[in-house]
């Protein structure tokens, strides 16, 4: 790979998990910088620590982490790594929209409707349709049962 800077802008999920692994890191230029502001699972952090120790790449900048909120301890040791606390979405407009989406999704769960902002594959897996109406999530049944018959000690 001949890129000087590689920035990752892909969705998370099975298809992109560890997209950047040992093999991908070994193919990069030694002067390459790797930037990830997409999803933490896209980079195999153990492989990244290995590549940095071996000086296979020049450095990395991460705003997301594989096991967020935890950061791989090895990454903290490098001066050529910039670690940000998931600030990529830290604007008033984005955070307001995120709060609104959370409220809408809580109301959707309570009404047995589909959640917004979930990929279709996740929707189908978690909430399979039932005769024209999506099934409520499994946790709703447990919450409803608890609300109707609380445990007494």
């Amino acid at each position: 790979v001949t890129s000087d800077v590689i920035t990752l802008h892909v969705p998370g999920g099975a298809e992109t998990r560890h997209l950047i692994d040992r093999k991908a890191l070994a193919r990069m230029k030694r002067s390459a910088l790797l930037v990830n502001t997409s999803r933490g699972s896209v980079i195999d952090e153990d492989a990244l620590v290995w590549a940095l120790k071996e000086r296979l790449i020049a450095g990395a900048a991460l705003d997301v982490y594989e096991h967020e909120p935890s950061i791989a301890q090895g990454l903290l040791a490098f001066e050529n790594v910039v670690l940000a606390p998931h600030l990529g979405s830290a604007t008033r407009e984005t955070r307001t929209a995120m709060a609104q989406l959370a409220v809408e999704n809580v109301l959707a769960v309570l009404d047995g409707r589909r959640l917004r902002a979930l990929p279709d594959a996740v929707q189908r897996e978690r909430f399979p349709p039932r005769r024209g109406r999506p099934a409520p999530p499994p946790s709703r049944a447990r919450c409803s049962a608890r609300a109707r018959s609380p445990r007494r000690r």
Side-chain angles (χ1 to χ4, degrees):
V1 177
T2 61
S3 299
D4 294 315
V5 178
I6 299 166
T7 63
L8 302 171
H9 307 277
V10 297
E15 296 87 24
T16 58
R17 184 177 183 334
H18 289 180
L19 179 69
I20 304 300
D21 57 8
R22 278 184 177 236
K23 183 177 177 182
L25 290 160
R27 291 180 55 213
M28 292 181 191
K29 287 172 57 174
R30 292 195 184 269
S31 59
L33 297 173
L34 179 63
V35 179
N36 187 14
T37 59
S38 59
R39 294 288 182 238
S41 62
V42 173
I43 295 179
D44 177 348
E45 287 182 0
D46 291 334
L48 178 58
V49 169
W50 166 79
L52 291 162
K53 281 183 184 174
E54 298 295 321
R55 299 177 189 252
L56 297 179
I57 64 171
L62 307 175
D63 185 50
V64 291
Y65 307 97
E66 185 174 6
H67 303 289
E68 202 163 295
S70 298
I71 299 172
Q73 287 299 308
L75 292 174
L76 299 171
F78 296 101
E79 290 192 19
N80 56 341
V81 174
V82 175
L83 303 171
H86 204 146
L87 292 174
S89 66
T91 65
R92 177 175 290 133
E93 296 82 7
T94 301
R95 295 293 167 93
T96 299
M98 290 167 70
Q100 182 63 38
L101 178 62
V103 168
E104 289 173 13
N105 280 336
V106 167
L107 294 174
V109 167
L110 294 174
D111 291 341
R113 293 181 283 117
R114 288 174 57 106
L115 299 181
R116 287 192 48 220
L118 278 181
D120 287 340
V122 174
Q123 283 283 4
R124 285 190 298 274
E125 178 184 316
R126 293 187 185 167
F127 310 105
R130 292 185 305 175
R131 295 188 187 144
R133 183 176 169 191
S139 60
R140 182 171 183 223
R142 287 194 301 274
C143 291
S144 297
R146 256 187 253 129
R148 287 191 302 266
S149 57
R151 287 185 169 166
R152 299 183 195 255
R153 294 184 178 168

